[in-house]
Amino acid sequence: MAGIDLAATSPRTTLDVVGRSPASRRRLSRAALYVALGVIAVVMVVPFVWMVLTSLKTPADIAASPPTFLPTEWAWGNYADALAAAPFLTYARNSLIIAVSHTTINLVVASMAGYALARLRFRGSELVFLGFVAALMIPTYTKIIPEFLIVRFMPLFGGNDILGQGGTGWLDTWWALIVPGAVTPFAVFLFRQFYLDLPVELEEAARLDGVSELGIWARIMTPLVKPAFITVALLTFESSWNNFLWPLLVTRTDSMRVIQVGLSVFRTENDTQWAFLMAGTTLATLPMVALFLLGQKYFVRGFANAGIK
């Protein structure tokens, strides 16, 4: 018995075939993941940092070759000069009104549509849902001309007759800025996926208690899908706030312009005022950054839980 090699008979529970323990391999994998995420984060943040630093540079610093990362002289007055160059407070007010209106309408209408498609059974419901899915595949820019023609020839608005002739329709009005695009197919799809996950016993118990279908949607089901509401609200507000092409097409006066269109005053055919343009862009970006920081937990959870059934 004295010749028994204890080391040879003990089970190999500490090291694996490559010489590292499972715990060590997990730590290495996690470290590699953190390094990769750190690199991606830096790549995403650098353009924003460059934008802020450029907004604080003098024209001489911007024209310097090779370019400098930090300003040699911090020109904080660029922000005041940018705000004075155009009625940006009016532009920001208009953008805020449009974004809040789009967000409110999209949350109410899309959540009701998503609830109906998920919880109510009616003839053609699957066909209607497939229609929303098909609408997700239509590129945005292919809809610009049809939407513009609808707005331009809207009957009985802007001096138009019953046939939509003789006037300007909805052009340069709040109707043109708010109604088109107020409800998105993606929001309907996302709400439907969340409402599908809720147990059917909740609505059955509510119906036995005499609650109406509208009451079930508003009081029973909707409070349980808060991540979906935060996700849709953030996406809708961001899309509306950053919209440029549509407001540019349907507005003519400064009183109806939005902030993204207003930034174009710093770009001309012969010159671009980079410091003012970056200052205005920084101010236009701040509301979206603040909203994302406030709702990021629900935003990530909303996408993580939106499974396809």
Side-chain angles (χ1 to χ4, degrees), residues 256-277:
M256 299 302 297
R257 295 289 193 187
V258 298
I259 193 167
Q260 301 301 332
V261 177
L263 292 175
S264 62
V265 301
F266 300 123
R267 302 191 64 178
T268 63
E269 185 177 353
N270 300 319
D271 186 31
T272 299
Q273 298 173 293
W274 289 108
F276 295 165
L277 179 61

Side-chain angles (χ1 to χ4, degrees), residues 7-87:
T9 58
S10 60
R12 298 176 63 187
T13 58
T14 307
L15 298 177
D16 59 9
V17 293
V18 297
R20 289 192 178 93
S21 66
S24 177
R25 287 170 52 183
R26 285 194 296 270
R27 285 194 295 269
L28 288 175
S29 299
R30 188 174 301 172
L33 177 62
Y34 288 161
V35 170
L37 292 176
V39 172
I40 295 173
V42 170
V43 172
M44 297 294 291
V45 169
V46 164
F48 293 96
V49 175
W50 183 268
M51 174 183 69
V52 175
L53 293 177
T54 303
S55 70
L56 297 172
K57 290 182 179 180
T58 61
D61 284 339
I62 295 175
S65 181
T68 59
F69 188 71
L70 294 175
T72 57
E73 180 182 350
W74 297 83
W76 296 100
N78 286 343
Y79 285 87
D81 294 338
L83 291 175

Side-chain angles (χ1 to χ4, degrees), residues 59-136:
D61 284 339
I62 295 175
S65 181
T68 59
F69 188 71
L70 294 175
T72 57
E73 180 182 350
W74 297 83
W76 296 100
N78 286 343
Y79 285 87
D81 294 338
L83 291 175
F88 274 98
L89 292 180
T90 300
Y91 298 158
R93 181 207 64 187
N94 295 343
S95 292
L96 183 62
I97 292 174
I98 297 167
V100 171
S101 300
H102 277 175
T103 302
T104 304
I105 296 172
N106 205 17
L107 287 177
V108 175
V109 178
S111 63
M112 296 176 71
Y115 172 80
L117 292 173
R119 315 303 297 195
L120 303 181
R121 291 294 172 261
F122 56 90
R123 181 177 300 178
S125 60
E126 291 299 324
L127 187 61
V128 173
F129 174 66
L130 291 177
F132 278 104
V133 174
L136 291 172

Side-chain angles (χ1 to χ4, degrees), residues 239-249 258-264:
S239 177
S240 181
W241 180 267
N242 292 328
N243 196 3
F244 171 80
L245 181 58
W246 181 251
L248 178 64
L249 291 175
V258 298
I259 193 167
Q260 301 301 332
V261 177
L263 292 175
S264 62

Side-chain angles (χ1 to χ4, degrees), residues 197-209:
D197 287 338
L198 300 180
V200 69
E201 291 80 9
L202 292 174
E203 58 186 287
E204 290 178 348
R207 289 192 181 99
L208 290 175
D209 290 340

